C-alpha cells in the first residue's frame, strides 16, 4: 500500500532542506576559493532602493558628465585653435582640461551603468584595480599640476620681466610630463600594494566606484601598512603641493598689493582667483577623505564628498575658468563667431 500524501511531506521538506544546505555550502566554498582563482567580484552600493530615485540620480549624473566633457573639450579646443592663447598659463590649463576629461570618464560611465541597473552591477578584481589605478593616477596628476600652475602665476606676477626666460616651453613640457610621471608612479605603487591583499569573497563597496578606503575595508588581512602608505601618498599629493600653492599666493598677494593701478590689481586678482577657487575645491574634498584617520572614515560622508569631486568639480572647473578669465571668454566668442560665419 502507498503511504498517505500527508506522510510523504516531511520527507520532501527534509530532502529539499538538505538540498538548500548543500547548495549554500557549495556557494561558500566557491566564494572562499574565488580569491585564489582571481574570480572575486565586488558590487557597488546603490544610492537608493527606489527606482524613481535611481532614475533621478542617473539623469543628474548624466547631465553633469556631458556638461563636464563638453566644457573641458571646448577649453582644450579653444586654446589649441587660438594662437593668442599659446602661453604657458593656457598650456597648463589645456592639460588640466584634458586630465579632467579622462578623470570623469574613469568614474562616470561605470557609475551610470550601475545606477541604471537596479540589480547588483558586478565588477571583477582586475576591473576594480584598473579603475582605482586611473582614478589615483589622474587625480594625483591633477593636484600636482595645480601646484605647477600656481608656480606659473607666481613667476608671471612676481617676476614679469623674466617670465619668458624662466617659463620656457622646454620647462613647461618638463613640468607637465613630470606631473604625469609622478602621478603614475604613486598610483602604480598604491594600487599594486592594495590589490595584493586577500579578498575572501564577493562584497559590497560602500561607494559608487573603486575608491581606496572602501576597497581596503573589504580585505581579510591587517591593512595597517597600507593605511600608512595611503597617508604618505596623500601627504605627497595633497599637503606638499597645497603648501607650495599657499606659499606662492603669499608672494603673489604681496606683489599685487604693490601694483598702483586699480585695473592692474583687478586683472592680476581675476587671473589668480579662478585657479585658487579650483584649488580649494580639489584639495578641500581630497583632504576630507584621505588626510583624516581611516578609523574615522564614514561611508555616508565619503559618498557625498565623492559625488562633489568626481561629478560636480569637473563641471565647475571649466565654468570657473571661462567665467573668470576675460581672454578665454573673448577667444570663445571669436571662435563661435568664426564657426557661425563659416
Amino acid at each position: 500500500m502507498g503511504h498517505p500524501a500527508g506522510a510523504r511531506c516531511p520527507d520532501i521538506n527534509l530532502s529539499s532542506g538538505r538540498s538548500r544546505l548543500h547548495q549554500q555550502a557549495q556557494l561558500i566554498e566557491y566564494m572562499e576559493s574565488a580569491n585564489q582563482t582571481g574570480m572575486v567580484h565586488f558590487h557597488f552600493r546603490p544610492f537608493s532602493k527606489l527606482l524613481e530615485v535611481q532614475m533621478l540620480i542617473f539623469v543628474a549624473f548624466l547631465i553633469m558628465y556631458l556638461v563636464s566633457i563638453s566644457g573641458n573639450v571646448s577649453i582644450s579646443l579653444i586654446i589649441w585653435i587660438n594662437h593668442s592663447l599659446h602661453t604657458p598659463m593656457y598650456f597648463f590649463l589645456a592639460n588640466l582640461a584634458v586630465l579632467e576629461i579622462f578623470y570623469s570618464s574613469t568614474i562616470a560611465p561605470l557609475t551610470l551603468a550601475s545606477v541604471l541597473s537596479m540589480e547588483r552591477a558586478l565588477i571583477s578584481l582586475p576591473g576594480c584595480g584598473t579603475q582605482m589605478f586611473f582614478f589615483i593616477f589622474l587625480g594625483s596628476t591633477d593636484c600636482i599640476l595645480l601646484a605647477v600652475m600656481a608656480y606659473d602665476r607666481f613667476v608671471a606676477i612676481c617676476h614679469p620681466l623674466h617670465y619668458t626666460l624662466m617659463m620656457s616651453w622646454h620647462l613647461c613640457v618638463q613640468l607637465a610630463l613630470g606631473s604625469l610621471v609622478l602621478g603614475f608612479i604613486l598610483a602604480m605603487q598604491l594600487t599594486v600594494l592594495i590589490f595584493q591583499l586577500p579578498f575572501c569573497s564577493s562584497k559590497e563597496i560602500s561607494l559608487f566606484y573603486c575608491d581606496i578606503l572602501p576597497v581596503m575595508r573589504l580585505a581579510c588581512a591587517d591593512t595597517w601598512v597600507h593605511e600608512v602608505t595611503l597617508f604618505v601618498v596623500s601627504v605627497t599629493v595633497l599637503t606638499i603641493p597645497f603648501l607650495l600653492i599657499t606659499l606662492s599666493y603669499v608672494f603673489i598677494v604681496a606683489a599685487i598689493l604693490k601694483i598702483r593701478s586699480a585695473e592692474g590689481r583687478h586683472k592680476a586678482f581675476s587671473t589668480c582667483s579662478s585657479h585658487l577657487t579650483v584649488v580649494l575645491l580639489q584639495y578641500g574634498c581630497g583632504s576630507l577623505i584621505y588626510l583624516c584617520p581611516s578609523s574615522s572614515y564614514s561611508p555616508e560622508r565619503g559618498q557625498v564628498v565623492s559625488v562633489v569631486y568626481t561629478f560636480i568639480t569637473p563641471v565647475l572647473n571649466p565654468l570657473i575658468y571661462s567665467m573668470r578669465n576675460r581672454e578665454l571668454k573673448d577667444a570663445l566668442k571669436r571662435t563661435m563667431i568664426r564657426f557661425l560665419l563659416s
Side-chain angles (χ1 to χ4, degrees), residues 285-296:
C285 292
S287 300
L288 284 173
I289 298 294
Y290 302 111
L291 291 180
C292 292
S294 57
S295 57
S296 66

Side-chain angles (χ1 to χ4, degrees), residues 218-269:
L218 303 181
C220 300
D222 182 41
T223 59
W224 182 82
V225 173
H226 304 76
E227 289 171 15
V228 171
T229 306
L230 174 60
F231 181 76
V232 171
V233 170
S234 301
V235 168
T236 305
V237 170
L238 294 170
T239 307
I240 295 175
F242 185 74
L243 290 175
L244 293 173
I245 292 169
T246 305
L247 186 62
S248 297
Y249 273 101
V250 168
F251 288 108
I252 287 170
V253 170
I256 290 173
L257 293 175
K258 291 178 183 177
I259 299 174
R260 293 181 181 181
S261 164
E263 186 181 348
R265 284 198 302 270
H266 176 72
K267 185 179 179 181
F269 270 123

Side-chain angles (χ1 to χ4, degrees), residues 62-129:
L62 180 62
I63 291 170
M64 285 191 282
Y65 176 56
L66 293 176
V67 171
S68 166
I69 294 297
S70 58
N72 284 299
V73 167
S74 299
I75 285 178
S76 304
L77 289 176
I78 288 164
I79 293 171
W80 182 53
I81 291 168
N82 290 272
H83 291 282
S84 61
L85 300 180
H86 290 184
T87 62
M89 183 178 82
Y90 292 106
F91 169 74
F92 292 127
L93 180 56
N95 276 270
L96 188 70
V98 172
L99 277 175
E100 291 286 356
I101 293 166
F102 286 105
Y103 179 77
S104 298
S105 301
T106 299
I107 305 296
L110 189 60
T111 300
L112 290 169
S114 176
V115 171
L116 193 60
S117 170
M118 287 303 292
E119 299 178 358
R120 289 180 174 180
L122 297 179
I123 183 169
S124 65
L125 197 66
C128 190

Side-chain angles (χ1 to χ4, degrees), residues 141 144 148 171-185:
T141 307
I144 297 163
V148 170
L171 178 63
C172 291
V173 171
Q174 282 185 328
L175 289 170
L177 287 175
S179 302
L180 284 167
V181 170
L182 183 56
F184 180 88
I185 291 170

Side-chain angles (χ1 to χ4, degrees), residues 132 135-136 190 194 197 199 204-207 209-219 223 226-228 230-231 234 286-299 301-302 306 309:
M132 184 183 289
F135 171 71
I136 301 169
L190 193 56
I194 288 172
L197 286 166
F199 298 97
E204 181 182 78
I205 296 173
S206 60
L207 278 183
Y209 65 98
C210 291
D211 198 5
I212 304 162
L213 285 170
V215 171
M216 273 205 299
R217 289 194 160 199
L218 303 181
T223 59
H226 304 76
E227 289 171 15
V228 171
L230 174 60
F231 181 76
S234 301
S287 300
L288 284 173
I289 298 294
Y290 302 111
L291 291 180
C292 292
S294 57
S295 57
S296 66
Y297 176 78
S298 164
R301 186 186 66 184
S306 296
Y309 69 72

